[in-house]
Amino acid sequence: MIDNHFKKNQWIKRTIIGIPYFWLVIFILIPFLVILKISISEATWGTPPYKPLLQFLGNHIVQFNIHLENYQILSDMIYRYSFLQSLKLASLSTLSCLLLGYPMAYYIARQDEHLQTRLILLILLPFWTSFLLRVYAWVGILSPSGFFNTLLMEVGILSEPLRFLYTPGAALVGMVYCYLPFMILPLYASLNKFDFSLLEAAADLGSKPLRAFWQITLPLTRPGIVGGCVLVFIPSFGEFVIPELLGGSKTFMLGKVIWVEFFTNRDWPVAACLAVLMVLFLVIPLVLLQKRQGS
Amino acid sequence: MAKKPKVNLKKVENWHKVDSKPYLEIQSVSKYFDGAAVVNQVSLEIYQGEFFSLLGPSGCGKTTLLRMLAGLETPDEGCILIDGVDMTNVPAYERPVNMMFQSYALFPHMTVEQNVAFGLVQDKLPKAVIKERVKEALAQVQMEKYAERRPHQLSGGQRQRAALARCIIKKPKLVLLDEPLAALDRQLRENTQFELVNIQEQMGLTFLMVTHDQEEAMTMSTRLGIMEEGKVRQVGSPHEIYEFPNSVYVADFIGSMNIFQGVVREESRDSTVIQCEELSAEVVVNHGANAPCGANVWIALRPEKVTISKKKPQRKYNTASGIVQDIAYLGDVSIYLIQLEGTDKIVEAMLPNLMRSAAQDITWEDTVYLSWEPENTIVLTA
């Protein structure tokens, strides 16, 4: 009887854990393997625009068409440029989100519980409208005759409109705007658990507020900082929509390059190569990080 | 509860010397939260080397007062002087004061050693000096073995010791303890009481403790202050507070007390006669009551100072009769609850169990006679 119950419990447990695993395998692992396969195939004209990996030539002869040369794109200037620009913009947007988000999360966590809920709701409010719409709104704000320029000229700071829209800077502003909540939420979760009386103890022992922040608050909220940075950096690095809408032609991030290779040049193997490299670049540091935290 | 203070007798009683200067002066300090006074015009003087306790029920303002001394709250009125220097507006990190928090507030990401060293690191002392002093402080609280542990790897008692070491390592002018033993279990609490007092005496530090546990306060303190609703009601040695309470509140708060309301009938310098409604006989006290004839006063009697017997006493005053309602056998003593004749009033009397085998001759439903001495009778006017 007890044994039966236990078995049933085990079965339920396995099912509950199994569903997300199943999901991940079907919708992430398999598509990734498909991409991996395309990345080592040879490009050709046709549909699909790459040669199959295995070719049966008859007489039990199988030909492997593994084309690792695709990965030589790394030596190409244009790809290296776009990789570095992605790295730069993603790093900058992560840093900006951290610098903007930390004080916000800190302030929210110090309010009474009732107000905290409301403030968090406000942070989440933009998600109630379409992402695309919110990015488009920035076109209106940043354009030469837009809100930002009109205001600055009205006040007299500018004599002629600033050509800010369609620059990498505008893309950065858009990314910071879109990803800020992803930084604030994990930071808030960390700070909410943080025992602020520790700061009183630090002050009591002679630590000035800023020093106490470095010595106590920062190390104890590190999980939130790491979590927020990961959540902002990863989507920023491969971001396509925001630089496309706000960044103009000088913004040539990896997402855009993959798009161009895939749809304009119809060079699927190169696009797949870039995608695989990007995933590796993002996953390897994460695995290392997790290993370090685990030990 | 009637345990006498055990450890404070050998102390130099500075506060009895007329010319000694207070080390900590709290001058009519008030603090308001939402318009209500949490600490109301409190003035206190504490001397070097004292172990002073603030005792009161929760919400009486004792912790707020302590936090103002630490610099974690600013007084709305009044000032605080430590060793003659005005500290009222000095921030916490510049005060020569260290506090042990009720939650201990140990830094969870640091080892015990790092926690204890924290205060010295802030002062930018040389590493070798810090190491030496941390070792010393850890030895003092017998925590050398746990130097490398993190707070979450420690038991409650060990955490308490680590917090204590952290707060005495800077040899502050004033050590503040916020309910230092509240989180410990009973056995540990009793041992720790003596250890705390020993450390305080050895290091010659001035301790100010906040507690709601009267036994703790009585056992450890050289003097204590009884607080109620933001005010200090009485300051004195444990003996003074127990035997000479100055108000019904203090009398009732410390230990058990039988209290009767009465009216002064005769008053002279060395004798007062009081008539209580609940007592048929008159009450005689061998000192003046500071109250005129006809004034309302209260009579307070400690249970251990009331004797009971089945024989009717000879004298006509300081006596009453009643029926035994309940007996609580506590081993060393027994407590008798006696309902006074013709009233609902229950009086508590405590008798030592002097004989091991003797069958108690007083039992339930017996009619007994209570009596007490004039010098053991407390008269209160407030």
Side-chain angles (χ1 to χ4, degrees):
Chain A
M1 177 65 196
I2 291 168
D3 204 44
N4 240 342
H5 185 71
F6 178 75
K7 268 183 191 161
K8 202 177 154 194
N9 250 346
Q10 282 292 95
W11 193 81
I12 291 172
K13 250 190 223 166
R14 276 185 203 153
T15 315
I16 289 173
I17 298 169
I19 290 169
Y21 268 94
F22 182 72
W23 178 274
L24 287 173
V25 167
I26 294 289
F27 294 104
I28 297 193
L29 189 64
I30 292 177
F32 180 74
L33 291 175
V34 170
I35 298 284
L36 193 66
K37 185 195 109 180
I38 297 172
S39 79
I40 51 174
S41 306
E42 198 182 339
T44 178
W45 287 106
T47 309
Y50 57 89
K51 287 186 183 162
L53 271 187
L54 304 177
Q55 252 177 335
F56 295 97
L57 301 174
N59 287 339
H60 307 289
I61 298 171
V62 180
Q63 188 186 349
F64 287 92
N65 296 322
I66 296 176
H67 201 73
L68 286 169
E69 289 88 336
N70 292 335
Y71 283 89
Q72 285 177 353
I73 51 164
L74 277 180
S75 57
D76 196 324
M77 265 302 283
I78 185 74
Y79 300 122
R80 260 196 289 181
Y81 172 81
S82 89
F83 178 84
L84 286 177
Q85 196 182 33
S86 287
L87 189 63
K88 191 175 115 190
L89 282 177
S91 304
L92 278 175
S93 77
T94 307
L95 188 69
S96 312
C97 281
L98 183 62
L99 293 180
L100 280 172
Y102 204 99
M104 285 171 82
Y106 192 91
Y107 175 81
I108 293 171
R110 298 237 61 176
Q111 303 308 308
D112 68 72
E113 224 161 287
H114 199 66
L115 192 57
Q116 282 187 22
T117 322
R118 290 186 190 186
L119 291 171
I120 285 297
L121 206 69
L122 282 178
I123 298 287
L124 295 173
L125 207 59
F127 288 115
W128 293 7
T129 55
S130 145
F131 168 74
L132 213 57
L133 214 64
R134 281 183 285 136
V135 179
Y136 263 123
W138 278 96
V139 176
I141 294 169
L142 297 176
S143 74
S145 57
F147 172 78
F148 190 63
N149 276 311
T150 317
L151 184 79
L152 288 181
M153 287 199 295
E154 233 18 76
V155 176
I157 296 173
L158 293 178
S159 54
E160 56 182 273
L162 202 66
R163 304 256 160 221
F164 186 60
L165 187 63
Y166 306 129
T167 63
L172 182 65
V173 168
M175 290 201 290
V176 170
Y177 163 76
C178 282
Y179 292 122
L180 190 58
F182 295 101
M183 181 61 90
I184 291 176
L185 291 178
L187 282 176
Y188 166 74
S190 259
L191 282 159
N192 195 32
K193 276 189 291 179
F194 178 69
D195 176 7
F196 284 95
S197 75
L198 295 178
L199 292 181
E200 289 185 341
D204 183 66
L205 291 163
S207 179
K208 288 182 185 173
L210 203 64
R211 227 171 119 80
F213 176 78
W214 277 106
Q215 291 168 321
I216 312 293
T217 320
L218 214 54
L220 284 173
T221 51
R222 207 177 55 189
I225 296 172
V226 171
C229 287
V230 166
L231 283 184
V232 173
F233 186 82
I234 290 177
S236 302
F237 192 75
E239 181 57 50
F240 170 71
V241 176
I242 299 169
E244 181 69 10
L245 292 179
L246 303 175
S249 56
K250 278 187 202 140
T251 313
F252 205 58
M253 288 172 69
L254 267 182
K256 169 86 182 240
V257 177
I258 293 171
W259 169 277
V260 169
E261 290 298 346
F262 203 87
F263 291 100
T264 314
N265 298 348
R266 275 187 67 84
D267 192 341
W268 286 21
V270 165
C273 258
L274 287 168
V276 168
L277 288 172
M278 198 170 92
V279 168
L280 289 179
F281 177 76
L282 292 173
V283 164
I284 289 169
L286 267 184
V287 171
L288 291 178
L289 189 79
Q290 202 154 33
K291 261 196 176 161
R292 230 195 73 183
Q293 277 186 335
S295 64
Chain B
M1 187 43 241
K3 281 181 188 163
K4 286 286 149 303
K6 299 158 201 162
V7 283
N8 56 29
L9 296 172
K10 55 181 185 273
K11 294 212 170 171
V12 186
E13 302 200 332
N14 271 329
W15 49 97
H16 285 160
K17 294 181 196 159
V18 183
D19 57 338
S20 62
K21 208 174 149 295
Y23 200 52
L24 165 70
E25 288 170 79
I26 302 172
Q27 297 174 348
S28 17
V29 161
S30 296
K31 178 78 187 174
Y32 302 92
F33 285 142
D34 299 325
V38 179
V39 173
N40 196 347
Q41 294 289 323
V42 168
S43 292
L44 267 181
E45 290 182 346
I46 291 164
Y47 296 85
Q48 195 161 15
E50 264 201 276
F51 195 131
F52 192 95
S53 293
L54 283 169
L55 180 61
S58 59
C60 70
K62 55 193 193 303
T63 297
T64 308
L65 186 58
L66 198 74
R67 288 173 57 82
M68 285 195 279
L69 296 178
L72 301 171
E73 306 275 0
T74 332
D76 292 321
E77 287 160 17
C79 53
I80 293 163
L81 279 79
I82 298 171
D83 203 5
V85 183
D86 189 347
M87 287 282 159
T88 318
N89 294 309
V90 174
Y93 53 83
E94 279 171 9
R95 290 196 191 195
V97 169
N98 284 135
M99 175 156 161
M100 189 173 136
F101 289 75
Q102 187 175 1
S103 66
Y104 308 144
L106 291 169
F107 305 126
H109 60 304
M110 296 183 190
T111 61
V112 168
E113 194 173 9
Q114 288 168 324
N115 263 288
V116 174
F118 191 86
L120 300 179
V121 171
Q122 305 316 308
D123 290 351
K124 304 199 170 68
L125 293 180
K127 277 207 175 113
V129 176
I130 292 179
K131 205 164 175 180
E132 193 54 42
R133 280 180 63 180
V134 168
K135 219 172 136 188
E136 206 178 293
L138 285 176
Q140 213 140 21
V141 297
Q142 291 138 45
M143 282 287 288
E144 307 103 310
K145 270 192 280 178
Y146 306 103
E148 295 305 318
R149 298 249 183 116
R150 303 246 167 156
H152 68 91
Q153 297 166 313
L154 300 175
S155 71
Q158 292 163 345
R159 246 175 264 169
Q160 193 258 4
R161 284 154 189 278
L164 180 63
R166 188 176 73 171
C167 117
I168 57 171
I169 195 166
K170 290 179 92 170
K171 300 198 172 80
K173 289 190 173 167
L174 188 61
V175 175
L176 306 172
L177 307 161
D178 188 3
E179 305 268 6
L181 309 173
L184 306 181
D185 57 54
R186 197 188 158 80
Q187 186 109 40
L188 197 56
R189 201 157 59 210
E190 278 174 11
N191 295 334
T192 316
Q193 283 179 5
F194 293 101
E195 276 177 18
L196 262 179
V197 174
N198 283 338
I199 287 173
Q200 183 251 343
E201 285 179 349
Q202 274 169 25
M203 296 185 70
L205 294 169
T206 309
F207 272 31
L208 199 153
M209 175 173 83
V210 152
T211 180
H212 68 273
D213 183 324
Q214 18 172 319
E215 196 173 326
E216 199 171 292
M218 298 282 275
T219 317
M220 296 162 77
S221 318
T222 52
R223 283 193 308 157
L224 45 137
I226 310 296
M227 280 188 82
E228 184 209 6
E229 288 177 354
K231 286 196 165 125
V232 175
R233 299 299 299 261
Q234 188 174 0
V235 174
S237 68
H239 176 254
E240 281 167 350
I241 299 272
Y242 188 80
E243 301 292 357
F244 305 98
N246 67 358
S247 61
V248 174
Y249 178 79
V250 174
D252 203 23
F253 184 72
I254 298 288
S256 3
M257 190 69 104
N258 298 301
I259 293 173
F260 307 92
Q261 200 167 8
V263 177
V264 178
R265 288 275 171 252
E266 285 169 41
E267 207 253 351
S268 68
R269 247 188 61 195
D270 47 339
S271 152
T272 311
V273 178
I274 295 153
Q275 182 67 55
C276 295
E277 212 177 291
E278 290 154 327
L279 300 169
S280 46
E282 286 177 324
V283 176
V284 175
V285 187
N286 69 340
H287 57 80
N290 253 338
C293 277
N296 277 315
V297 292
W298 289 268
I299 298 293
L301 281 174
R302 292 285 180 201
E304 74 274 12
K305 293 184 175 75
V306 176
T307 53
I308 54 176
S309 92
K310 284 168 120 174
K311 263 200 301 194
K312 195 174 170 138
Q314 294 288 306
R315 64 174 174 222
K316 292 275 177 283
Y317 58 90
N318 288 5
T319 174
S321 63
I323 294 159
V324 176
Q325 290 288 330
D326 223 332
I327 305 171
Y329 176 75
L330 301 181
D332 50 350
V333 294
S334 289
I335 292 170
Y336 296 80
L337 297 181
I338 297 146
Q339 184 175 15
L340 293 188
E341 212 169 26
T343 67
D344 295 335
K345 180 82 176 180
I346 303 281
V347 173
E348 212 179 308
M350 186 194 285
L351 289 188
N353 295 320
L354 299 175
M355 307 301 272
R356 196 166 142 197
S357 57
Q360 298 298 320
D361 63 334
I362 297 170
T363 179
W364 282 268
E365 304 297 327
D366 277 356
T367 299
V368 290
Y369 296 92
L370 310 166
S371 62
W372 57 92
E373 296 305 316
E375 65 263 31
N376 288 337
T377 311
I378 304 161
V379 184
L380 301 164
T381 54

